[in-house]
Amino acid sequence: MSSISNSKPAPTEGLIDVALSVSSSPASAPDPSALVRYYFNLTDGETVIRDEAGVEASSLQAAVISAIEAVEELRAQDASNSDEWQGWKLEIVDAAGRAVQSIPLDSSASH
């Protein structure tokens, strides 16, 4: 992961690991050749923390579900850090580098 630094700390501890742990296992996936790689980048509008590994999903909807599960699991792990997530979001980016979905990290935002 790379980041563009600023004075605001990034609430990334464990997020990418969580995202990878909730993604579909190869045994439950349909045809492996039909899987698409999506990346879960974190941003606050100024800082971007790139997911270099990505996850494979059968569709954008499956990637969104994995991302939402990862964000919710991260929130549940340490709710005391929710103030640090204010203004941060997880952007699901396709293989071409286009942001295709965004999920706020702060617990007060809806998704």
Side-chain angles (χ1 to χ4, degrees):
M1 289 185 134
S2 62
S3 74
I4 303 167
S5 99
N6 70 2
S7 61
K8 195 173 185 181
T12 61
E13 189 72 30
L15 179 66
I16 300 303
D17 294 335
V18 169
L20 294 175
S21 71
V22 298
S23 64
S24 300
S25 67
S28 66
D31 177 12
S33 64
L35 296 177
V36 177
R37 185 162 300 275
Y38 292 96
Y39 300 88
F40 295 172
N41 295 339
L42 298 171
T43 184
D44 67 352
E46 295 178 24
T47 302
V48 177
I49 301 169
R50 299 193 188 286
D51 172 10
E52 300 294 336
V55 296
E56 289 184 331
S58 58
S59 66
L60 175 57
Q61 181 180 1
V64 169
I65 290 168
S66 292
I68 289 171
E69 289 173 351
V71 168
E72 289 176 355
E73 186 174 326
L74 182 63
R75 287 179 188 153
Q77 284 178 359
D78 192 357
S80 66
N81 284 337
S82 63
D83 288 343
E84 293 178 19
W85 301 337
Q86 192 69 28
W88 283 85
K89 60 186 173 181
L90 181 147
E91 284 188 339
I92 301 172
V93 178
D94 66 13
R98 293 181 301 249
V100 294
Q101 184 77 30
S102 178
I103 302 167
L105 289 183
D106 54 4
S107 58
S108 63
S110 61
H111 51 265

